Structure formats: C-alpha cells, structure tokens
Amino acid sequence: MSGIIEIIFAEFNYWIYVTLMMIGFYAMIAKKNLIKKVIGANIFQTAIFLFYISLAEVKGGTAPILLHGHDGADAAHKAVSEVIYVNPLPHVLILTAIVVAVSTTAVALALIIKIYEEYGSLEEDVILAYRRQLQPEFSEHARQKQEGEQ
Amino acid sequence: MIWILDITLLLFLVVCAIAAISIKDLLSAVIILSAYSLIMAIVWVEMQSVDVGFTEAAVGAGITTVLFIATLARTEGRSED
C-alpha cells in the first residue's frame, strides 16, 4: 500500500498532466459546441506545457537567473558553478509554444464567428443537419461514393 | 518546491478543467478557464520557471479570455452540452 502511494506522489505532476490531457481530448471529441471544443484544445495545450516544465525541474534548483554575474571573474565563476539552476531550455521552448497557442485560439475563434454568421448556431449537429438540408445532392453523392468503396 | 502546495494546486487544476468543460453557460466556462490559466501560472512560478509563469498570466489568462469574451459577444452564450 505504501509502495503505491509512493509511486503516485513521486511523479505527481505527470499523473496530473496525463489527466488534464485526457480531459481536453474528451472535450475536443465528445462536446458538440464549437466553443467547448476550443476550450478543450486550450486545456490539452496547457497540459503539454505542464509536462515540459515538469521535465525541466531539478531538485533544489533555483530560477535560472544569473546573480552577481558582473562582480568580477571570481564571483561570476562562483555563480555559474556552485549554484544549482533548473534547466532553462524547456522554458524557452514553452515560451514560444504559449504564443503559438494564443494565435491558434484566435484563428479558431475567428472561424467560429464566421460559422455563426453563416449558420446561426454553434452546435455541430445543427450545422451538419443544416448543411444536409441545404445540399441534399452533396450528401447523396457522398453516400454513393461510400457504397462504391464498399 | 513545497510539495503540499504543489499537490493542492494541481488537484484544483483538475477540478477547474472538469468544471470548464462540463458547465452549460459559456461565459462561466470561459471565466473558469481563465482561473485555470492563473492557477497554471502559479504552479509554474512555484516550479521556478518564472518567465513562463508571467507569460502565461499575461497571455493565457489575459488575452485568451478577452478573445473568448469578444467571440461570445458576437455569438450566443448558451451550450447544449
């Protein structure tokens, strides 16, 4: 029993990261509302960021900011070699990824506004039903193509 | 890293994520997503990655929420699921 608790709490960040990723994935697949899908995508992205930041962590490390770097060669050498820092490389990767995440969200929301202007609804099933009603020959063509493949 | 604070914040993160995707009022869902981003920023500052933390607080909790609310103002605020 204590072994299981140790396994769970030793890598707790990773358990949470997988849980959040699955919550976001579920929202992207199962929710019919388009805004809910974008919220799910946001949760999925931040879960991946959490994984990278957890990867960078060093036990007992401080923030990767160089102090006393300009106080002469001895002090600078001491600041680099004697202080433990967390790994700054994943931080830089994620800094870029956050900006990309915001721009993808902005594009998705712009498309949602256009879809709402066209169809008057944000529900996926309503939009699909409207499309089928609008273009019956389109869905008929798709059905025939599917039957032909079989 | 204070482990009890870390575990509390991470569990609260999961609660916020589930609330954000299951609530029917979309404006409430967006505000809960903003709270989720803010907790994520606190987790990152606590994990010694300060630059990512304040970028997330400004961009994730700030600009994303503004974009979502602007979209909701032009569309409808109710969801079926």
Side-chain angles (χ1 to χ4, degrees):
Chain A
M1 188 62 197
S2 66
I4 293 170
I5 291 173
E6 213 165 86
I7 286 170
I8 289 174
F9 281 95
E11 310 284 347
F12 197 65
N13 282 2
Y14 297 98
W15 289 97
I16 295 294
Y17 129 72
V18 171
T19 314
L20 287 176
M21 206 158 101
M22 288 305 114
I23 290 169
F25 197 44
Y26 167 76
M28 282 169 76
I29 290 176
K31 295 286 171 183
K32 293 265 192 290
N33 191 283
L34 294 177
I35 301 245
K36 280 286 172 68
K37 280 180 193 282
V38 179
I39 288 176
N42 258 303
I43 292 172
F44 196 102
Q45 283 166 335
T46 40
I48 292 167
F49 302 161
L50 179 65
F51 168 63
Y52 269 76
I53 300 296
S54 307
L55 216 60
E57 203 176 14
V58 176
K59 212 172 208 175
T62 66
I65 299 167
L66 199 62
L67 288 177
H68 310 297
H70 298 289
D71 296 355
D74 282 348
H77 184 258
K78 206 173 169 182
V80 173
S81 61
E82 289 182 9
V83 184
I84 301 169
Y85 299 106
V86 297
N87 188 359
L89 183 64
H91 297 181
V92 179
L93 292 175
I94 293 312
L95 216 55
T96 315
I98 288 175
V99 179
V100 175
V102 170
S103 34
T104 52
T105 308
V107 172
L109 291 173
L111 289 174
I112 283 174
I113 291 175
K114 278 293 167 195
I115 288 171
Y116 186 79
E117 282 173 4
E118 185 74 25
Y119 295 101
S121 173
L122 288 180
E123 304 295 323
E124 195 188 45
D125 42 356
V126 176
I127 293 168
L128 285 175
Y130 185 74
R131 270 190 71 90
R132 279 196 204 96
Q133 198 187 4
L134 208 65
Q135 302 171 303
E137 74 281 357
F138 174 78
S139 53
E140 183 68 18
H141 178 72
R143 194 178 59 78
Q144 277 171 1
K145 197 179 168 189
Q146 203 174 16
E147 278 174 1
E149 277 170 3
Q150 284 166 1
Chain B
M1 187 167 115
I2 312 153
W3 70 272
I4 188 90
L5 177 68
D6 198 49
I7 285 169
T8 316
L9 285 172
L10 289 171
L11 286 176
F12 203 62
L13 212 55
V14 173
V15 172
C16 274
I18 291 171
I21 68 161
S22 56
I23 203 158
K24 279 193 167 53
D25 186 34
L26 286 177
L27 185 62
S28 311
V30 169
I31 299 300
I32 292 169
L33 188 73
S34 164
Y36 168 91
S37 286
L38 205 63
I39 295 163
M40 195 63 119
I42 295 169
V43 169
W44 287 342
V45 170
E46 196 240 348
M47 286 167 79
Q48 309 292 342
S49 74
V50 282
D51 45 353
V52 184
F54 66 64
T55 309
E56 173 72 14
V59 171
I63 295 175
T64 308
T65 313
V66 171
L67 289 172
F68 268 109
I69 291 175
T71 310
L72 288 179
R74 283 161 165 267
T75 59
E76 62 192 19
R78 262 328 261 187
S79 161
E80 293 296 318
D81 51 9

